[in-house]
Amino acid sequence: MNPADNTGVFTEQADYEKGFGAYFAQKIAPLLGTLEADRLKFKQDFIVSAIFSGAAAALALAALWLIVPPGSMGSKDAEGRIKLSFFILFAATVLPTYFYHRYGEEAKGTLLPPMMSFFGGISFHPHMGINELTLRPFQIMPMHEIYHSEDYTNGTLDNLSLELGLIKLENRSKNSTYTVFRGIAVKFEVKKPFEGMTVLRHNQGMFGHALSSLFGNHGMERVQLEDPRFNASFEVSSTNQVEARYLLTTAFMERMMLLGALMHHWGDDPSTFNEQMALAAAFSNPCNVLASFYGRSLLLLIPYAGKFFEPGSLFTSATHLNEMRCVLYQIHLFRRIIEVLKLDQNIGM
Amino acid sequence: MTPLWILLGIAAVAYFWYASIVTRRNKVQEALSDIDVQLTKRHDLIPNILKIAERFMEHEKSLMTDITALRNQAQAAGGAKDASGVDAQLKLESQLQMRMGQFFALAENYPQLKSDGPMMQAQASYNEVEEHIAAARRFYNAAVEQLNNAIQVFPGSAFAGMAGISAYPFYQADEGSKAPVDADAYLRKTA
């Protein structure tokens, strides 16, 4: 963390932060006083609830292991006590966790709308998600039973309409759920509509490809492209072989690989992230981004499990701007997506 | 019984091998049809472009006449499905593309033509069609590669012979396009 960020004054360090210092002083700095007061209150609630929950859990565990007679839980007594112990420990974390996340939501709701406004016509809605029905037609969502989304953001960035959100896809197993995808879904509206659908998925190898051919590919055919580095990362399918090649020129294929390199370091602290080195290594790492061209939009699914649009932390002063700087960098990365893929021009050029 | 099963197995493998070669040949013809669609758009655009340019490029009549003749030849050669017909068609289209490139380069010397609204629109449409032709060409080359790989290696070559399927030519840039551009010569010519 940069000590200079703990002054409540935003000093511009990167090109994409140009102009934010003055904007911060005018629109955001006045909000920090109230936010800091709230943070201290939530922190106090967190500590008090942690102490009381911890004490209650300790008493419950002591009672379970020292007072409840052995064999009370039947033949699987030890197993039952262990499970109950874990449940008690889990229950003890519920209230403190609530206060921890509550402050996070507060910081988001307070800081993100004015931060987004700095970039132009973008609106942020922390409790809304991107509508699953708008994503399904693109045919790149991994199969799932449960869909969660939040941090819905929409508007215009660099003259391009976009909407995005954090999504989490889960499946049910016998007694629990497991995550099949967690990351960011971002949909850009492009200049010209597509005639068919072209989809970029991860290369599943010969076996995976044979399976998808067997179970149907929604009328799409495999598209074999020329760049072996691109083919190592992506499996391309399309309803229109010519349009797929019109979109995926050799230049565009290279840009998708570069995008993968940028997204690989999505959550890195921007002060430590070296974009040039990441781009130089673009073709060494497989690209995890999924893409689909359909209708009038390009949908990207970017796997990501870290902090997304989190401008504040319960244990860091509201005047400490490191997290805000990370959020600025995340917003800037969406502009880099537009720039790297040249989405503001006709795609394929 | 065992020899019978072996024979049936060999026959099944042979059938699927033959079927895959025919499928790849059909893929090549599908790709050729896609190219033909784009080439038709190009052929339809060229007379309009030349008509607009006529008013401004009075000294380039010979080039425009050449282009018109090439365009007519290419249009007549269109729709070929056999390897030799396709080869001839692709050669003509490459020459036509090269001449149109020269035409647009020369058009840069006519500022009034450059800024003419209909001409700008026609050129934008032409560029779009060229991009689609490039994409269709890549599809064709990919299909030809798969077909040629299948029929140039034994036993695919035997099945191809039985089915009357021969290798198709790749859609390549002609020699004129491959030659390095001499900017000095171009500037001397247009000065």
Side-chain angles (χ1 to χ4, degrees):
Chain A
M1 285 192 185
N2 185 352
D5 274 343
N6 197 17
T7 58
V9 174
F10 192 93
T11 47
E12 293 163 19
Q13 293 173 3
D15 288 340
Y16 59 85
E17 294 174 350
K18 201 171 177 182
F20 191 75
Y23 181 86
F24 174 89
Q26 191 186 2
K27 300 278 186 186
I28 300 177
L31 306 170
L32 294 183
T34 312
L35 190 63
E36 176 65 8
D38 287 342
R39 185 189 74 86
L40 292 170
K41 185 182 168 308
F42 279 115
K43 188 177 171 186
Q44 188 182 23
D45 291 341
F46 173 88
I47 292 169
V48 167
S49 64
I51 291 170
F52 275 106
S53 300
L59 282 171
L61 285 170
L64 178 65
W65 289 96
L66 300 174
I67 298 174
V68 173
S72 310
M73 295 192 186
S75 57
K76 293 186 179 176
D77 185 68
E79 192 183 313
R81 283 173 195 263
I82 290 169
K83 280 184 181 172
L84 199 51
S85 301
F86 277 115
F87 177 77
I88 290 167
L89 287 170
F90 170 74
T93 62
V94 167
L95 205 51
T97 306
Y98 166 76
F99 288 117
Y100 179 84
H101 285 297
R102 187 70 188 81
Y103 173 71
E105 296 298 318
E106 175 98 4
K108 233 185 237 192
T110 303
L111 297 175
L112 276 175
M115 286 179 76
M116 294 285 184
S117 295
F118 172 71
F119 290 95
I122 312 179
S123 310
F124 176 72
H125 312 275
H127 302 296
M128 276 176 64
I130 192 164
N131 188 340
E132 186 184 6
L133 293 176
T134 64
L135 304 183
R136 278 191 183 271
F138 288 85
Q139 306 289 349
I140 51 168
M141 300 248 283
M143 285 181 63
H144 61 280
E145 291 167 298
I146 306 167
Y147 174 87
H148 298 289
S149 179
E150 58 182 22
D151 294 347
Y152 179 65
T153 307
N154 70 333
T156 309
L157 187 64
D158 292 346
N159 294 321
L160 212 66
S161 293
L162 84 161
E163 50 180 318
L164 65 98
L166 193 62
I167 68 169
K168 186 176 172 187
L169 309 177
E170 293 174 311
N171 277 337
R172 291 190 180 88
S173 63
K174 199 176 165 189
N175 296 316
S176 62
T177 60
Y178 61 93
T179 304
V180 291
F181 179 86
R182 187 177 189 276
I184 297 131
V186 54
K187 195 152 66 97
F188 295 97
E189 199 172 290
V190 296
K191 283 183 168 261
K192 291 170 64 179
F194 306 117
E195 285 179 15
M197 176 187 289
T198 300
V199 162
L200 278 64
R201 296 192 190 94
H202 298 146
N203 191 332
Q204 297 162 75
M206 277 175 60
F207 185 64
H209 171 56
L211 267 180
S212 59
S213 301
L214 201 61
F215 291 107
N217 209 6
H218 306 282
M220 290 189 276
E221 288 180 347
R222 182 92 189 266
V223 179
Q224 202 65 32
L225 295 169
E226 300 85 355
D227 192 333
R229 301 169 302 182
F230 184 84
N231 289 339
S233 279
F234 292 109
E235 190 177 286
V236 181
S237 305
S238 182
T239 56
N240 187 325
Q241 292 268 352
V242 174
E243 185 176 62
R245 288 172 173 84
Y246 172 74
L247 293 168
L248 299 170
T249 57
T250 43
F252 192 87
M253 283 193 270
E254 210 164 273
R255 285 185 231 129
M256 278 299 298
M257 299 298 293
L258 293 176
L259 176 65
L262 280 178
M263 297 301 108
H264 206 61
H265 297 272
W266 182 275
D268 286 3
D269 185 338
S271 63
T272 62
F273 173 49
N274 187 323
E275 188 173 293
Q276 293 309 314
M277 280 181 62
L279 292 177
F283 299 98
S284 313
N285 303 314
C287 178
N288 290 330
V289 177
L290 302 171
S292 175
F293 303 81
Y294 176 61
R296 243 206 136 80
S297 303
L298 164 64
L299 173 66
L300 299 174
L301 292 187
I302 305 165
Y304 179 64
K307 281 178 156 187
F308 178 66
F309 285 177
E310 301 278 348
S313 167
L314 188 66
F315 302 106
T316 312
S317 166
T319 55
H320 202 295
L321 307 175
N322 186 65
E323 263 104 0
M324 204 178 300
R325 211 178 281 282
C326 288
V327 169
L328 266 184
Y329 182 67
Q330 288 175 344
I331 300 170
H332 162 69
L333 276 180
F334 288 111
R335 288 178 118 173
R336 285 289 283 137
I337 292 175
I338 295 170
E339 200 180 295
V340 168
L341 295 183
K342 294 196 196 293
L343 298 180
D344 52 344
Q345 301 169 24
N346 281 332
I347 290 185
M349 297 193 65
Chain B
M1 279 304 279
T2 308
L4 181 62
W5 282 115
I6 292 171
L7 274 171
L8 280 172
I10 292 171
V13 167
Y15 171 75
F16 283 117
W17 208 308
Y18 168 80
S20 81
I21 288 174
V22 172
T23 304
R24 284 164 204 232
R25 191 270 314 270
N26 292 343
K27 201 71 174 173
V28 170
Q29 290 182 347
E30 180 194 342
L32 276 172
S33 298
D34 284 334
I35 293 180
D36 281 340
V37 165
Q38 303 304 326
L39 291 176
T40 303
K41 287 183 188 172
R42 175 203 263 175
H43 297 154
D44 290 342
L45 267 174
I46 288 174
N48 293 333
I49 292 172
L50 295 181
K51 200 163 185 141
I52 296 167
E54 235 173 24
R55 290 182 288 141
F56 302 90
M57 293 172 76
E58 287 168 352
H59 303 294
E60 314 297 344
K61 278 203 163 39
S62 65
L63 173 61
M64 289 196 268
T65 309
D66 281 349
I67 289 173
T68 304
L70 257 177
R71 178 243 176 209
N72 293 339
Q73 285 175 44
Q75 200 172 28
K81 293 291 179 217
D82 61 294
S84 58
V86 166
D87 193 35
Q89 181 190 3
L90 297 183
K91 281 191 167 97
L92 280 168
E93 292 292 347
S94 283
Q95 287 174 33
L96 179 59
Q97 185 182 15
M98 197 176 71
R99 295 301 263 165
M100 285 302 292
Q102 289 171 350
F103 168 82
F104 283 120
L106 281 171
E108 293 290 314
N109 292 332
Y110 298 84
Q112 277 184 311
L113 176 64
K114 258 176 56 176
S115 56
D116 181 60
M119 184 63 185
M120 285 165 65
Q121 212 168 348
Q123 190 165 1
S125 300
Y126 184 84
N127 289 338
E128 172 96 7
V129 167
E130 287 300 310
E131 282 155 31
H132 277 95
I133 291 172
R137 196 163 57 202
R138 288 169 62 200
F139 175 32
Y140 169 77
N141 282 345
V144 163
E145 184 196 357
Q146 291 192 352
L147 172 67
N148 291 356
N149 284 345
I151 67 173
Q152 286 172 348
V153 177
F154 182 82
S157 50
F159 291 119
M162 284 192 292
I165 297 172
S166 55
Y168 277 76
F170 286 101
Y171 199 152
Q172 290 176 335
D174 68 5
E175 293 307 317
S177 307
K178 284 182 197 170
V181 173
D182 183 357
D184 280 343
Y186 171 72
L187 289 169
R188 273 197 300 273
K189 187 179 174 185
T190 56

